Amino acid sequence: MSEHVEWSEPEGPAPTATAAVTPADAADAARLVSFGLQPKLQPARDQEYADLLRRYREDPPFARLADAVATGLGLIVLEVSPRAGMAVTAAEDSVFAVRMGDYARRTSADGGDRFLHGLAHLAVAAMAFPRPEDLADDGYIGRVTVNGVDAFVRQACRRLEERAAEQGENTDPATDTPGLEAAWRIWVRRSATGATKDARRLAGSTTGIVAKAVAFLTESGFLQRTGDDNGGTYRTTARYQLQVRDMAGSAAMAELLELGVVPVTDGTPTLLPAEESDDLELVADAGLPFHSS
């Protein structure tokens, strides 16, 4: 009799055990997130930051740990790269969220001016990245000036005023109409620079409001000041592009873009008739670098 031999599939290698997370790993992950909360810190100028970024990219378990730390703090990781570092933004319920009320108190703005400050931030974002391809191009650098942003908003206000007149809207718009329809009535009545004898810019003037907006963005690592011409010149950072990309598309910003923004290199805008196209639509749910509540 022949002996029966049972055959079976060769056994695969035993799964390797996942290495336990050590307190040192947790500390390093938290350290990386802390670097991400310092928007002006550049990885190229901090070796520890650069090393932790490299570990994040090369060590998936460490990356997951760092992401978990960020999530636990109410932060959303936008990108982790040498160009942007660990770019994070605060979720609405995060302790790190900057709210419009806090911003207004920081800028000494009263309740009536908060709307103007919000419009200034929208205008800076629209001028910095006026086309979807600019927002999508990692190498694109937007440039804005304080006077250019104010001029742009005033041009937009005139366009909106003309549109309201054509439609017979001689009274304040209904509450369910786009926010910009109400904005021009407020912005155009405000002086651009104020009324001091030496023509200094007043804090409550429209250029003063824009200056506060760009100063806040600069302190937050979203803009870099490059000169004093035209009330102050600024260039965008990778973090600001990520922020606008993540938040772009609010009704007010979309309406602003649809008026036809055409930028030039010195940060001065021009308005052209809006194209009959969907090309100006951006990703859903945008807003400002702070939350409205």
Side-chain angles (χ1 to χ4, degrees):
M1 289 181 62
S2 62
E3 186 176 326
H4 177 68
V5 178
E6 292 187 359
W7 295 91
S8 61
E9 294 293 329
E11 293 185 2
T16 57
T18 303
V21 175
T22 67
D25 293 330
D28 286 345
R31 180 69 169 161
L32 177 58
V33 174
S34 75
F35 283 137
L37 289 168
Q38 302 175 59
K40 290 186 178 181
L41 184 63
Q42 299 179 13
R45 298 182 178 179
D46 191 293
Q47 188 60 51
E48 183 184 6
Y49 193 3
D51 290 342
L52 288 173
L53 287 174
R54 186 180 305 108
R55 183 178 176 187
Y56 181 99
R57 297 194 307 275
E58 297 175 355
D59 185 351
F62 177 75
R64 290 193 294 271
L65 180 60
D67 289 344
V69 170
T71 300
L73 292 172
L75 300 172
I76 300 168
V77 179
L78 300 177
E79 181 177 306
V80 179
S81 67
R83 80 179 187 110
M86 187 170 198
V88 296
T89 188
E92 189 170 356
D93 59 351
S94 172
V95 68
F96 296 103
V98 179
R99 305 189 184 282
M100 189 59 187
D102 300 331
Y103 172 81
R105 285 190 291 273
R106 189 181 303 182
T107 58
S108 302
D110 59 32
D113 280 357
R114 292 184 186 182
F115 187 83
L116 299 181
H117 281 275
L119 180 56
H121 275 274
L122 285 172
V124 171
M127 278 190 63
F129 304 102
R131 300 171 300 179
E133 55 264 36
D134 301 331
L135 204 53
D137 181 2
D138 288 347
Y140 181 84
I141 297 176
R143 290 176 173 80
V144 298
T145 69
V146 169
N147 293 346
V149 171
D150 180 55
F152 163 51
V153 176
R154 289 183 179 274
Q155 290 178 48
C157 289
R158 285 195 292 271
R159 179 70 56 77
L160 290 164
E161 185 176 10
E162 291 169 0
R163 187 171 71 183
E166 291 171 358
Q167 297 174 353
E169 298 176 2
N170 296 319
T171 59
D172 286 341
T175 56
D176 59 349
T177 56
L180 291 183
E181 290 291 357
W184 64 261
R185 292 178 167 86
I186 304 173
W187 195 279
V188 297
R189 293 171 187 164
R190 187 69 61 92
S191 169
T193 58
T196 59
K197 293 181 179 180
D198 56 0
R200 284 183 299 169
R201 187 166 61 202
L202 292 180
S205 65
T206 54
T207 53
I209 288 171
V210 174
K212 287 181 179 179
V214 295
F216 171 81
L217 292 171
T218 301
E219 292 172 5
S220 302
F222 294 130
L223 297 178
Q224 293 176 345
R225 188 179 179 101
T226 58
D228 299 326
D229 294 339
N230 295 309
T233 60
Y234 299 81
R235 56 178 285 173
T236 60
T237 65
R239 281 178 173 259
Y240 190 45
Q241 185 181 46
L242 291 169
Q243 183 81 24
V244 176
R245 185 185 293 169
D246 181 65
M247 303 174 69
S250 68
M253 186 172 178
E255 188 182 6
L256 200 58
L257 288 172
E258 286 168 6
L259 293 175
V261 190
V262 180
V264 292
T265 55
D266 66 354
T268 305
T270 259
L271 282 178
L272 293 182
E275 298 177 3
E276 295 296 329
S277 166
D278 294 333
D279 291 344
L280 293 174
E281 293 184 2
L282 301 177
V283 270
D285 272 344
L288 305 171
F290 37 72
H291 298 281
S292 58
S293 59

